[in-house]
Amino acid sequence: MHLVLNIYNGKTVEKVYTADEFDIMFGTVEDLINLVDVDRLSGNVTDTDFIGAVAVLLKGGFVQVKTLLKDLFPDVTDEELKRAKMKEVLAVLVQVLKYGFSEMAASGNAKN
């Protein structure tokens, strides 16, 4: 998984932050999963379900979302986050959620 967060100056991309799967701390994924309604994401989960869960999170959890984004992209500043497109932030959070759930499913299927 490759995550990208663009920072804009007007309509021009001013800076690009990236993170890869190996950069994501377990606690970051855990924090994000704990902030969403996990029951909403059981069974046959679609991208729309993930987007809906993240949208609900964004309504009441901007502080937590900023913290998560700063965990994913350690060099990003609060001022830069103000210049990130919401749809791109949403895409990053959905990718991390999907990654977290796939890793949980994989570890649940692993044999000891």
Side-chain angles (χ1 to χ4, degrees):
M1 173 177 56
H2 184 72
L3 302 173
V4 176
L5 182 66
N6 294 314
I7 306 301
Y8 291 85
N9 183 358
K11 293 186 178 192
T12 305
V13 174
E14 179 179 81
K15 194 179 256 186
V16 178
Y17 288 100
T18 62
D20 289 304
E21 174 180 314
F22 57 85
D23 294 329
I24 300 174
M25 298 295 187
F26 175 78
T28 302
V29 175
E30 180 183 38
D31 289 347
L32 182 57
I33 289 172
N34 286 334
L35 290 172
V36 299
D37 181 3
V38 177
D39 292 335
R40 179 183 180 135
L41 297 175
S42 59
N44 269 344
V45 182
T46 66
D47 283 351
T48 303
D49 295 327
F50 279 109
I51 291 168
V54 171
V56 170
L57 162 68
L58 291 175
K59 284 183 186 177
F62 269 104
V63 171
Q64 292 93 336
V65 169
K66 280 175 63 173
T67 300
L68 289 166
L69 289 170
K70 290 172 123 183
D71 284 347
L72 293 168
F73 308 103
D75 295 330
V76 73
T77 66
D78 287 344
E79 188 57 40
E80 288 173 330
L81 285 175
K82 291 180 182 181
R83 294 184 285 120
K85 289 186 178 181
M86 195 65 220
K87 68 179 180 179
E88 293 178 14
V89 168
L90 185 66
V92 165
L93 295 175
V94 166
Q95 282 183 278
V96 173
L97 262 180
K98 290 169 92 173
Y99 171 75
F101 280 103
S102 69
E103 288 299 303
M104 287 187 331
S107 66
N109 292 332
K111 294 185 180 188
N112 294 328

